[in-house]
Amino acid sequence: MPKPLAERPAIVFAHAAYRLGDEFARRGTGFPFAEVRDAAALDARVGEADVLVLSGLWRDALLDRAPRLVLVQSVSAGTNQYGLDRFRAAGVRLASAQGTNERAVAEHAVALMLALTRRLGEARDNQVKRFWRPMISDPDARERELTGRTLLIVGYGRIGRRLARLAKAFDLRVIATKRDPATGAEGADAAYPDSALIEILPQADIVVLTCPLTERTERMIDARALAAMKPTALLINVARGKVVDEPALIAALAEKRIAGAGLDCTADEPLPADSVLWGLPNVVLTPHTAGETERYEANVVDLLIENLARLRRGEPLINAVV
């Protein structure tokens, strides 16, 4: 049975970098709060928390040390780090931050698409070397235009739908996979069931992953999927690193069986210094920052305040997981 929320709940924000407490203070709620930056500091404060706001610092063992805990508001869309059965047994609610970064992640996917098609990584490298690249006589070796190409969005949730709207400004044809295509394409030119992925991959010039990491999607982009892609195709991952079979991707990129990849996430993060991905010229890497903008704290605190109000009114939480 879920626990009731205290009249003045004590909130603990726990994140290594985000300044969530500063943003919360600006709202003037009057609720007591603390902000911690590491696991040791979280351990010291968790016992006083009615509400925890965190993601990467979570460990399920914290539930045993938090007798007052009513709600965990995740600051990330993904919740695979939380043991849901333990939450249910403890009567603690869990909500994700899904949707708070949909604009940012969709825009980042477009940025990676443009970085690869306009060869911005190469241009930056040439700038550092003070080298002015001459004109290229081979048309196939030049920058590409997006107009008229086909974009496949794998995982057509809020981020995917936002990306589809942005893609239409570039005159891209948009197709997508979703669990129930019978509900409609919702801005895409066509929608297919997840099971049709291998069949439709050969249509795509650009494949963008916006799906959650689940047992079903882990290593979904494997050697077979990569082999189904055009040799001129690009892969963009703004989902989770483990959605891709990384060794298979490295082989496909090194052997130029696909043209390139824009990766905001990798199987291991931070990406190990000895990873081959660092040195591949047809890869653009960003350090899992697709969802990070100057508005991220404000978006999360908006969600937190609304969910606190809903708890008090006995209404369903936004993005309720447990």
Side-chain angles (χ1 to χ4, degrees), residues 279-303:
L280 291 175
N282 51 351
V283 172
V284 173
L285 290 166
T286 55
H288 210 142
T289 52
E292 290 188 8
T293 71
E294 81 287 357
R295 279 203 49 81
Y296 196 75
E297 285 90 342
N299 292 340
V300 170
V301 170
D302 285 345
L303 178 60

Side-chain angles (χ1 to χ4, degrees), residues 145-151 167 170-173 203 205 230:
E145 296 181 21
L146 293 178
T147 299
R149 298 185 188 275
T150 295
L151 168 66
F170 292 93
D171 294 324
L172 281 157
R173 172 178 175 255
Q203 297 183 42
D205 298 293
K230 297 178 181 180

